[in-house]
Amino acid sequence: MTSTTRNLALTLSTAALLALSLTACSPSTASDAPTSTASTSAAADDGTCAGVTVVVDTGDLDISDDPSDTVCVDTDKTILGTDAVTEAGFTTVGTTTYPDDVICRVNGVPAEETELTGDDGAAYHETCADMPPAAAYWGLWVKPADGEWDYAQTGLSALELNPGDSVELLFTVNGAPASPTS
């Protein structure tokens, strides 16, 4: 990993953590949570999702029980990211320090026994205690309807998604993949 890439990853991680800590202080607006369901039938006639698309992509992580999938969550109202991911059938685990803001595992991936190797050759095992290293982490991406993918500015628990939006949990190892491909 070049120093420029490492600095960019650190800057993105720091900015995301700052945004996450700020949103933890804001009031929740989920008092009238919509009823929605995970469904492939929520796809419109043109194959797009009429609700919220949830993508889990383990990227270059080489594992046997890969949870990568794309699921359309049928909803006609705003839905929180945590609700969309749960209704899509994924289970997330946060860290001890940031339980609702930093994603450590998706459907158990990466398991604590999974050896993650940094560009420097050092082995790392994710314990979910604190912020993951810049060399191996779940990134949270959001794409508004008819928009482009962008790094989420809030944690999954504060992320509000509207019908037509997409959210992606992308596992990045040593800077790759750097962003969603779809």
Side-chain angles (χ1 to χ4, degrees):
M1 177 181 286
T2 67
S3 63
T4 302
T5 304
R6 190 174 302 119
N7 288 341
L8 177 60
L10 182 58
T11 301
L12 287 173
S13 295
T14 302
L17 180 58
L18 177 60
L20 295 175
S21 64
L22 292 174
T23 59
C25 298
S26 62
S28 174
T29 58
S31 59
D32 59 335
T35 303
S36 56
T37 57
S39 170
T40 53
S41 65
D45 291 339
D46 64 358
T48 61
C49 178
V52 171
T53 302
V54 177
V55 180
V56 169
D57 184 353
T58 56
D60 294 340
L61 188 60
D62 186 22
I63 54 171
S64 60
D65 197 17
D66 189 340
S68 296
D69 200 3
T70 300
V71 179
C72 181
V73 175
D74 186 16
T75 185
D76 59 358
K77 296 180 182 177
T78 300
I79 186 172
L80 289 176
T82 50
D83 295 334
V85 168
T86 298
E87 291 182 33
F90 300 106
T91 303
T92 60
V93 173
T95 65
T96 302
T97 305
Y98 308 101
D100 296 327
D101 297 319
V102 176
I103 297 167
C104 176
R105 299 192 207 297
V106 176
N107 287 13
V109 174
E112 189 169 352
E113 60 271 3
T114 301
E115 186 168 299
L116 304 166
T117 306
D119 276 342
D120 61 359
Y124 171 76
H125 294 269
E126 181 57 71
T127 63
C128 297
D130 207 352
M131 288 294 291
Y137 65 93
W138 283 103
L140 179 59
W141 295 83
V142 64
K143 181 171 98 173
D146 299 322
E148 300 292 323
W149 285 109
D150 194 13
Y151 203 76
Q153 299 301 304
T154 68
L156 197 56
S157 62
L159 182 62
E160 293 184 357
L161 300 164
N162 296 304
D165 291 350
S166 298
V167 62
E168 181 164 334
L169 299 169
L170 175 64
F171 198 79
T172 300
V173 179
N174 298 315
S179 63
T181 57
S182 57

